[in-house]
Amino acid sequence: ISWGGFSSLQVAARRPPALKAIITHCSTDDRYTDDAHYIGGCVVQDMFVWGSMFFTLQGYPPDPATLGVRWREMWMDRLKHNEYRVIDWMRHQTRDAFWKHGSIDEDYGDIVCPVYAIGGWTDAYNCAVPRMLAGLKAPHKGLIGPWSHFYPHEGVPGPAIGYLDEALRWWDHWLKDRDTGIMAEPMYRVWMEDKAACCGTLQVPGRWVAEDTWPSPRIAMQKRYLVADGLADRAGPEGKHVLAPRQTVGTTGGHWCPFNMPTELPLDQAADDARSLAFESAPLAADLELLGAPVATLDLAVDRPVAALALRLNEVEPDGRSTRVSYAVLNLTHRAGHEHPEALEPGKRYRIRIPLRDIAHSFKAGNRLRLAISTTYWPLIWPSPEPVTLTLFVGGSELDLPVRPPRPEDARLHPFAAPVVPADSGRTVIETAPPQTKTFGWDVATGTLSIASEHGRGAARLNAIGTTLASAWKETSRIRDDDPLSPSLEHWRMQHFSRDDWDARVETTIRVSVSKDAFKIGGDLKAFEHDKEVFTRSWEESVPRQLV
């Protein structure tokens, strides 16, 4: 999953003759557009969360049971030469050769072995699955369930499936020439959600549906128009809506990759909708089933040379609850592509096409569709260097929806087996970690929003080798509602290893802030043996902003 999914694609693109087939989970075909660094040309906060994890991993100690007395010398050498990769990533703010390397969408034809691409609607990497189905030339299948960044048999939110049985059918077909029926089934199978996952969701209602090919000729785009009073079936007269900047819009958005469920899932969107431009349909007369990527085409102008847009397609219930179904963010300087951004001309009118994230969702009769538009989406993305006022022209702005007609064959799909999670080699819990917390704070005097997340220390002994592992992390971010140069982030992480006389601990801290011209990135790496600090190193660097 994830790293392994990336690796399977990149290895397959090199065509080793012994490789007969792969399964790739929660991975991407494009390391710039869909990874934990940039989306839509915007800097994603999860870059620094993942950067903190990676920073800590790089400092892990070797095991003396394997290396003997050399372990300490090797550990010190590893720590001394550890590189702060976040700075590397921040030096590549466009889709350059750094990201193209390992992006299989540069040439899907490089892969000749069969590919089974699997993802989850709650995961961050799901859009890569339909892209690969459309681009790969080798035999391929796709599966997307309701899950986040988990294997399908451990899928959260559920329902989980018997993934190990499904994988065995795939391997038996391609490695043993057994007729398991898997390639006679539809190419693309997805969980059609009746309700999108939001904070607290552990099970997503819905059903399995499938398409024989992707893109599917059965899917037709149905147009809605942004008009003065909402979303309509027909275009209306031209008018304009103006949105003043607020840097704290986005607090209900959750994380780019909601790994630590459920506190990282989106919340009720109503508070952010109220501070955005929101275009709402009439109540639906019947259910509306979508499969694919909605596309917004907007006529707009902004008053700054660097600006971003955040779009959310929400389902609004009669009681006012607003659930995010899909979203997109776009750095408008990347409007013509991610390799060569171009500054905007303040006041100039542009027509911008913005695909939202792929979805499989059934909007229910009596509910409304709402398209909410803002120029900020904190903390998911970092704000533009100046406050941006948006002018949106209605009448010509549109929303295209990928409408899926009923498919009777869905009722006869091959059933998945019940999920089975094999027992591990055994672990004994030494210290139970408290549930992850996430707290929002608002300083009325300064208009400052603070968000604090923490996962307290937990520890478990691996029974087979007697090693005890303990970990913890905490993160704090701040931003002022009136100042796009005010955001700051600090992420601290700890990993502890102990067994008999071996006691080693790594602690890292990442700090990020911004000026109009640069990202200011700091970091500390500390190592401890028996609670005594044996190594420390710090980084401080300013990385110029490149139209972001």
Side-chain angles (χ1 to χ4, degrees):
I1 196 168
S2 197
W3 195 315
F6 281 53
S7 299
S8 66
L9 289 171
Q10 294 175 35
V11 169
R14 294 175 179 267
R15 301 187 184 185
L19 184 61
K20 302 303 180 186
I22 64 170
I23 299 179
T24 180
H25 295 83
C26 298
S27 65
T28 185
D29 56 343
D30 194 310
R31 296 181 56 234
Y32 179 79
T33 61
D34 283 271
D35 198 5
H37 309 95
Y38 302 93
I39 52 171
C42 302
V43 176
V44 181
Q45 190 178 117
D46 278 51
M47 181 195 306
F48 307 110
V49 177
W50 166 232
S52 173
M53 294 173 62
F54 194 59
F55 195 24
T56 310
L57 280 165
Q58 289 174 265
Y60 280 11
D63 191 333
T66 303
L67 294 164
V69 295
R70 293 191 305 127
W71 79 271
R72 189 179 289 103
E73 178 185 352
M74 291 183 68
W75 189 25
M76 291 300 107
D77 186 65
R78 176 181 299 174
L79 293 166
K80 180 180 177 182
H81 292 95
N82 197 350
E83 294 296 333
Y84 192 18
R85 295 299 176 191
V86 166
I87 296 173
D88 244 3
W89 302 334
M90 286 300 302
R91 289 189 180 121
H92 298 274
Q93 295 169 27
T94 61
R95 193 179 184 277
D96 59 13
F98 182 87
W99 302 111
K100 291 179 183 179
H101 174 72
S103 293
I104 62 137
D105 62 352
E106 287 290 293
D107 186 353
Y108 289 112
D110 284 343
I111 294 181
V112 296
C113 74
V115 177
Y116 199 166
I118 298 177
W121 290 127
T122 314
D123 183 49
Y125 294 104
N126 48 48
C127 296
V129 174
R131 282 202 308 266
M132 286 190 281
L133 296 185
L136 288 167
K137 307 299 187 294
H140 52 270
K141 286 182 67 69
L143 171 66
I144 301 182
W147 323 294
S148 183
H149 207 64
F150 297 94
Y151 280 110
H153 60 299
E154 301 173 305
V156 180
I161 65 167
Y163 160 67
L164 300 180
D165 298 82
E166 182 73 359
L168 188 61
R169 294 176 69 219
W170 174 261
W171 299 130
D172 279 351
H173 178 93
W174 292 110
L175 304 185
K176 297 183 178 180
D177 295 322
R178 291 181 179 173
D179 183 11
T180 65
I182 194 164
M183 295 308 293
E185 295 166 11
M187 176 195 293
Y188 190 26
R189 185 164 174 175
V190 301
W191 184 253
M192 178 61 67
E193 300 179 338
D194 287 335
K195 189 175 181 65
C198 57
C199 190
T201 299
L202 295 178
Q203 293 287 321
V204 176
R207 71 191 195 283
W208 289 106
V209 303
E211 296 294 330
D212 290 327
T213 60
W214 194 260
S216 172
R218 299 180 349 99
I219 308 272
M221 299 302 279
Q222 189 180 101
K223 198 175 293 294
R224 298 286 195 276
Y225 297 90
L226 280 64
V227 296
D229 57 353
L231 278 177
D233 295 337
R234 296 182 179 180
E238 182 169 297
K240 64 181 181 181
H241 294 246
V242 178
L243 179 67
R246 287 184 170 177
Q247 305 305 318
T248 57
V249 174
T251 54
T252 65
H255 275 239
W256 169 78
C257 188
F259 190 91
N260 296 290
M261 305 276 290
T263 59
E264 295 177 358
L265 287 172
L267 305 170
D268 184 341
Q269 301 291 294
D272 281 336
D273 293 352
R275 298 181 299 151
S276 306
L277 297 180
F279 298 87
E280 191 172 291
S281 73
L284 295 172
D287 291 357
L288 178 66
E289 189 167 294
L290 306 184
L291 176 59
V295 179
T297 305
L298 304 178
D299 284 337
L300 58 86
V302 292
D303 64 342
R304 295 290 186 267
V306 178
L309 280 188
L311 280 62
R312 288 104 59 205
L313 178 60
N314 301 333
E315 182 170 15
V316 183
E317 299 176 38
D319 63 1
R321 181 177 180 84
S322 177
T323 303
R324 195 184 75 188
V325 176
S326 183
Y327 77 98
V329 297
L330 176 65
N331 176 349
L332 291 175
T333 70
H334 288 233
R335 62 195 178 277
H338 297 302
E339 292 188 45
H340 305 291
E342 300 175 357
L344 297 148
E345 182 181 326
K348 180 179 176 179
R349 184 164 170 169
Y350 293 92
R351 187 166 178 84
I352 309 292
R353 182 180 183 274
I354 307 175
L356 280 71
R357 297 182 65 82
D358 280 73
I359 54 172
H361 186 83
S362 178
F363 288 83
K364 295 307 173 187
N367 292 348
R368 299 171 185 260
L369 280 71
R370 177 183 289 165
L371 181 67
I373 304 169
S374 62
T375 58
T376 56
Y377 207 44
W378 177 265
L380 192 140
I381 62 171
W382 285 68
S384 305
E386 298 178 281
V388 174
T389 296
L390 169 69
T391 301
L392 183 70
F393 299 94
V394 298
S397 295
E398 305 165 349
L399 176 65
D400 288 300
L401 302 172
V403 177
R404 180 183 188 268
R407 182 178 181 271
E409 295 89 342
D410 291 340
R412 300 188 293 275
L413 289 172
H414 179 85
F416 290 118
V420 174
V421 179
D424 59 25
S425 59
R427 64 180 61 207
T428 300
V429 175
I430 307 299
E431 183 179 349
T432 301
Q436 180 178 325
T437 62
K438 187 175 186 179
T439 306
F440 295 84
W442 181 257
D443 186 328
V444 176
T446 63
T448 299
L449 170 72
S450 61
I451 306 174
S453 298
E454 183 170 359
H455 194 284
R457 181 185 172 97
R461 183 175 61 248
L462 306 180
N463 297 333
I465 58 175
T467 301
T468 296
L469 305 176
S471 62
W473 62 264
K474 55 186 175 183
E475 175 185 286
T476 304
S477 67
R478 292 182 178 84
I479 192 171
R480 275 179 48 175
D481 201 29
D482 62 351
D483 185 1
L485 302 183
S486 65
S488 64
L489 171 72
E490 182 169 299
H491 193 106
W492 170 88
R493 187 173 293 270
M494 179 277 294
Q495 182 69 46
H496 186 200
F497 304 79
S498 60
R499 184 185 60 245
D500 302 326
D501 291 334
W502 181 46
D503 188 295
R505 186 171 87 247
V506 181
E507 294 185 10
T508 61
T509 304
I510 280 183
R511 296 178 299 277
V512 188
S513 60
V514 289
S515 68
K516 185 176 180 179
D517 302 315
F519 284 85
K520 301 173 182 177
I521 304 171
D524 303 314
L525 171 63
K526 296 182 179 181
F528 301 82
E529 191 177 355
H530 294 284
D531 287 329
K532 179 183 178 182
E533 187 175 304
V534 293
F535 181 90
T536 184
R537 186 180 174 191
S538 295
W539 289 257
E540 295 290 342
E541 188 147 345
S542 180
V543 180
R545 302 176 79 142
Q546 301 170 27
L547 294 179
V548 66

